[in-house]
Amino acid sequence: MKLRYFIPSLMAVLAMLVSCSEDNTPTLLSEVQVSSSYVALPEAGGSTSITVTAADSWSISEASVPAWLTVSPMSGSAGASTLTFSAGTATESQTGEVLLNCGGKVQRINVLQYAEVTDPVILTVAEAVALIKANAQGDKAVYVKGIVCRIQEISPSYGNATYFISDDGTFGDGNWLEIYRGKWLNGANFTKGDEFSVGDEMVISGVLIDYNGTPETNQGTAEVISISKSLLKCDSLTVNGVIESTLPVEGGDIVANLTCKGNGVAVEVPAEAQSWLGVVATTVGDTPTVTLHAQPNAGGDRTTTVTFKTTDGQKDYTAQATINQKGAIIDANVSEFLAAEVGETQYRIKGVIQSVANPTYGNVYLKDFSGETYVYGIGSKGDFEAAGLKEGDIVTLVGKRGEYKGSAQMTGAQLEEVISVTDISIADFLQKPDDKGVWYRVTGTISSLLGSNGKENDYGNLYITDGTSELYVYGTYPGWGATGDARKFFIAENGIEVGDQITIIGYKDTYKELVELCGGVCFGFRKANAE
């Protein structure tokens, strides 16, 4: 069940007297326009004509005309021309894409001759999904009509868009078709990033596939054939007068600024979000606003999509807005993080970068005393290298518990703190000044497991040597954050002995003239008899 609110229109009483026209005019090429970008020929054969209006001379690409089709004329001059498509009797359905070149631009014209019907078949989303589920979709492009219910990305950089359409404009279980990296009108690239919105009705052409259980159009095969703009649009979300879609952890108001050409606006807050988000104020008119209030968030990051609806008396139109709220951050060690559920909750973990899987994207393995986890990217692309991070550094990260192919990982990780660690020889370490804020990584061979007093101990006190210089290590622990028994029995529990090689991270201090490496975080060790 969804909670519904309603903003009455001051002009609702005139709804039966005044009609609101839809904007059905698609964006066309300025160099050339055609009266129709798709042509249907009857099964028995014959001819169909369209009008070409060009700003310059134009020509048809011969290579694009299939053998079963005749196009006449194959070229023309500026102005209006009649372009005729002819075919003989069809024994099976056949399609083609004719390319018309003008002024350095390409106008695509889809030509279809169905053996079953004389007009193009336009499927509903439900029919398209049913074909896919029955594995009966074929390998040719089909037409599907639906309402945009979710937009993942409109990318001017790549010229394509990934979005979802459904029959009723809602994004529910199994009622949508994903348009994967499709093109704009007539196969053109997307150049602005706002060419269409949730709620717009489209006819698309594309090849249907089942991609690991997802009903979608095959990459790059889809294009928009026609579009009917929605009478309702969410122009922006604002928090305290600033354009923003994310609320702080303490909650507050967020305002949806709308443009409406219909009769009033209904607001739907998903049932799962009603415990923390609700409508507190509305305005009316052509540019109404909806103010929603979020409660303080004691959990992790949360998000919901609010739906706005209007009508012209005959048809409903929708628009959507995604609202986010920051969550409280849970401090955890790596083991606790790995045991957590996959979700939006934010966790803070601290440890040593054990290895770097991809420096460009900041993919690393992070380890503390309790375990190790994979971190899928620290910050955005390039942030890892820009921060000068490297293997051995001690970092504090905040991110979500994710998973990939059954393997746990941290996603959306943000760098909160870094302790830079410098590789150094034993001889150089001994010459450094005492400083608890400067950390080093030192490698040596264990020369003694006795304490500084010459007695055996259980706290990881030991001496390491590089063959020339010797360094006393005051405590060796299994990883960052170790306390109690996890610190006390590390050496014994791992069977570490004199002669083994060990790498330790720590800072320099001096006690009664004895130079010490303190903080002793074990980065790794290698048995003397290891191959």
Side-chain angles (χ1 to χ4, degrees), residues 204-530:
I204 65 96
S205 170
V207 178
L208 302 178
I209 65 167
D210 181 321
Y211 184 76
N212 294 332
T214 299
E216 63 180 52
T217 57
N218 203 3
Q219 178 176 345
T221 66
E223 63 181 74
V224 178
I225 302 301
S226 65
I227 181 171
S228 174
K229 299 295 292 181
S230 176
L231 298 186
L232 183 64
K233 181 181 180 182
C234 181
D235 297 309
S236 65
L237 294 172
T238 56
V239 177
N240 296 324
V242 178
I243 295 179
E244 177 62 74
S245 61
T246 301
L247 286 154
V249 64
E250 58 269 21
D253 291 344
I254 186 166
V255 179
N257 303 284
L258 309 172
T259 297
C260 179
K261 298 179 182 179
N263 301 312
V265 178
V267 188
E268 294 184 352
V269 177
E272 61 272 16
Q274 291 172 20
S275 62
W276 62 274
L277 186 69
V279 175
V280 294
T282 61
T283 64
V284 297
D286 293 337
T287 56
T289 62
V290 177
T291 302
L292 300 106
H293 182 79
Q295 300 296 323
N297 188 4
D301 287 3
R302 54 193 181 190
T303 185
T304 191
T305 299
V306 176
T307 300
F308 309 97
K309 291 186 176 182
T310 192
T311 182
D312 60 4
Q314 296 180 334
K315 183 178 178 181
D316 293 334
Y317 299 86
T318 63
Q320 292 181 331
T322 299
I323 297 174
N324 309 295
Q325 186 179 18
K326 289 290 187 181
I329 300 172
I330 298 175
D331 291 320
N333 60 42
V334 171
S335 177
E336 292 168 338
F337 171 79
L338 294 173
E341 295 183 357
V342 173
E344 296 298 313
T345 301
Q346 295 274 356
Y347 293 90
R348 178 184 288 111
I349 59 176
K350 187 172 185 176
V352 176
I353 298 177
Q354 285 294 119
S355 62
V356 179
N358 187 318
T360 301
Y361 291 93
N363 300 343
V364 304
Y365 287 90
L366 188 76
K367 182 178 181 296
D368 72 356
F369 76 97
S370 67
E372 183 177 81
T373 185
Y374 182 64
V375 179
Y376 183 67
I378 297 177
S380 302
K381 181 180 178 182
D383 287 355
F384 181 89
E385 293 175 311
L389 297 175
K390 61 188 181 302
E391 179 185 285
D393 285 347
I394 303 163
V395 296
T396 302
L397 303 176
V398 174
K400 302 173 185 178
R401 168 68 159 82
E403 194 168 275
Y404 179 71
K405 293 184 177 180
S407 297
Q409 61 183 23
M410 173 173 274
T411 60
Q414 297 299 314
L415 181 65
E416 201 172 69
E417 182 186 14
V418 57
I419 299 175
S420 182
V421 176
T422 302
D423 286 332
I424 195 170
S425 67
I426 292 176
D428 288 341
F429 180 89
L430 293 170
Q431 301 303 313
K432 292 294 181 179
D434 292 356
D435 192 335
K436 295 181 180 180
V438 180
W439 288 68
Y440 301 95
R441 185 168 66 165
V442 185
T443 298
T445 300
I446 298 175
S447 55
S448 173
L449 290 175
L450 301 178
S452 59
N453 56 7
K455 296 180 180 180
E456 292 187 4
N457 67 87
D458 294 320
Y459 291 94
N461 300 340
L462 51 85
Y463 288 87
I464 59 174
T465 181
D466 59 6
T468 302
S469 303
E470 191 173 54
L471 173 63
Y472 180 61
V473 178
Y474 183 63
T476 306
Y477 312 125
W480 185 268
T483 59
D485 289 348
R487 299 173 62 178
K488 186 175 181 182
F489 302 114
F490 172 66
I491 296 296
E493 288 181 349
N494 287 276
I496 297 174
E497 301 172 322
V498 171
D500 293 345
Q501 186 182 78
I502 192 167
T503 299
I504 302 173
I505 295 172
Y507 59 87
K508 181 178 178 292
D509 200 3
T510 303
Y511 180 72
K512 293 183 179 180
E513 298 184 353
L514 176 64
V515 174
E516 299 176 337
L517 185 149
C518 300
V521 176
C522 179
F523 183 84
F525 62 89
R526 185 171 183 270
K527 299 292 292 180
N529 57 359

